[in-house]
């Protein structure tokens, strides 16, 4: 089992399985709007088109650093398969 709170080394050219679950397995996506909002956040930070917030500050973009290969959204958790 991996150590908790340890410094991890991530390498380019590797696949990573990222996931997150609600506290005590609680629901994190309560309706379709929550799924849509989550996907819009992914698109905002991974798209080629720059976007700005209400004060015209650019959102950070990671399109040159990470590719989302696959994702799965479920009511109480999500999975992302990313390639760095």
């Amino acid at each position: 089992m991996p150590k908790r709170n340890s410094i991890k080394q991530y390498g380019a050219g590797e696949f990573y399985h990222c996931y997150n679950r609600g506290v005590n397995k609680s629901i994190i996506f309560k309706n379709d709007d929550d799924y849509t909002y989550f996907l819009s956040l992914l698109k905002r930070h991974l798209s080629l088109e720059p976007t700005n917030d209400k004060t015209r500050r650019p959102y950070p973009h990671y399109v040159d650093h990470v590719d989302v290969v696959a994702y799965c959204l479920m009511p109480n958790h999500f999975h992302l398969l990313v390639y760095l």
Side-chain angles (χ1 to χ4, degrees):
M1 179 151 189
K3 293 182 188 177
R4 288 183 165 213
N5 301 322
S6 63
I7 297 174
K8 297 174 177 58
Q9 298 292 325
Y10 298 102
E14 301 286 335
F15 287 94
Y16 293 95
H17 174 217
C18 306
Y19 57 93
N20 201 355
R21 186 175 69 185
V23 175
N24 295 323
K25 299 182 183 179
S26 63
I27 302 295
I28 59 173
F29 298 111
K30 296 182 182 188
N31 55 42
D32 289 345
D33 291 338
D34 292 339
Y35 291 104
T36 303
Y37 182 70
F38 181 85
L39 292 173
S40 73
L41 290 176
L42 282 179
K43 181 179 176 184
R44 174 188 294 169
H45 294 286
L46 297 174
S47 69
L48 291 171
E49 182 180 322
T51 54
N52 298 321
D53 65 11
K54 292 178 183 177
T55 62
R56 296 186 180 221
R57 290 180 298 194
Y59 287 112
H61 281 243
Y62 303 102
V63 68
D64 295 332
H65 306 288
V66 63
D67 292 320
V68 176
V69 178
Y71 65 89
C72 181
L73 308 179
M74 288 163 277
N76 69 341
H77 67 289
F78 65 86
H79 297 266
L80 301 173
L81 179 61
V82 298
Y83 181 78
L84 299 183

